[in-house]
Structure formats: C-alpha cells, structure tokens
C-alpha cells in the first residue's frame, strides 16, 4: 500500500495538516488469529507494522511490542492517547475468543 501514489498523496496531505498517523496491532495484523507471545514471527510482524506506519524512532523500533503513547495539545488542554499492544507478551488464552468459537459469526448478528 505504501507504494501506491494515491496513498502517498493521502499521507502527505495528512502530515502537512499536522495529523499523526499511528496504530497498534489487531490480532490478524500480528500474524494469526488470537496469537500471542508464542508466535515465532512476532519480531518480524512488529518490524513490518512499524515500517508501514513510517516509525523511525530507534527506541520504539528496538523495544518489544508496538505500544505507544502520545500527548496532544498544550496545558491545560491536553489529552494523552495510549495505544496498548495486547499481543506481543500475551500468554495463550484458556478460553477461545467468541470469533474463533463461532467461526467468525456472532450468534446474535
């Protein structure tokens, strides 16, 4: 997607407006549905994810997990956004997620 001209233009427009492009893993982005620390390719998944976001901060690229936090605004009008990576260090579930059990279909949908 980063090679697409229209997406590059979209990113440039956002960044020139001062917007921040940020994100964190979803279970399918990480590698496997409901995967956690047992996923052997988690370091590669994280590196590719940070590449996609355009993260160049060496401290963030070398830590384990894609979590981040950002403060927007000026005092006294500030907000802190914390993005948690609930995959990288997570143990396996004892209970399967509803999506896994229901084959991706929720019983009430």
């Amino acid at each position: 997607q980063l090679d697409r001209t229209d997406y590059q233009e979209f990113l440039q427009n956002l960044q020139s407006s001062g917007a921040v492009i940020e994100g964190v893993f979803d279970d399918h982005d990480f590698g496997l549905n409901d995967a956690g620390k047992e996923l052997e390719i988690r370091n590669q998944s994280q590196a590719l994810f940070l590449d996609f976001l355009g993260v160049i901060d060496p401290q963030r690229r070398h830590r384990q997990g894609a979590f981040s936090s950002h403060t927007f605004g000026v005092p006294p009008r500030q907000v802190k956004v914390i993005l948690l990576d609930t995959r990288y260090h997570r143990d396996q579930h004892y209970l399967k997620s509803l999506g896994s059990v229901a084959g991706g279909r929720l019983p009430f949908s």
Side-chain angles (χ1 to χ4, degrees):
Q1 186 164 341
L2 291 174
D3 293 335
R4 291 181 53 138
T5 305
D6 57 341
Y7 188 68
Q8 291 172 4
E9 290 172 6
F10 171 74
L11 291 177
Q12 288 172 352
N13 288 336
L14 277 179
Q15 291 167 340
S16 67
S17 73
V20 174
I21 299 171
E22 188 54 272
V24 73
F25 288 127
D26 178 50
D27 59 344
H28 298 95
D29 299 328
F30 191 62
L32 296 172
N33 187 37
D34 287 337
K37 68 181 182 182
E38 76 281 356
L39 186 68
E40 293 180 15
I41 60 165
R42 66 185 178 161
N43 291 325
Q44 296 91 329
S45 293
Q46 177 178 326
L48 290 170
F49 182 75
L50 295 176
D51 288 347
F52 177 75
L53 290 178
V55 173
I56 56 175
D57 176 14
Q59 184 179 24
R60 185 162 176 209
R61 292 195 72 89
H62 288 98
R63 70 176 174 227
Q64 296 179 333
F67 59 90
S68 64
S69 68
H70 308 275
T71 303
F72 300 97
V74 294
R77 299 188 185 284
Q78 286 184 313
V79 63
K80 184 171 198 108
V81 177
I82 301 171
L83 300 172
L84 302 176
D85 180 348
T86 61
R87 299 285 168 187
Y88 195 92
H89 296 285
R90 195 192 74 195
D91 292 324
Q92 288 185 338
H93 285 302
Y94 289 103
L95 300 172
K96 292 198 176 286
S97 69
L98 183 57
S100 296
V101 173
R105 293 207 59 208
L106 299 176
F108 47 81
S109 61

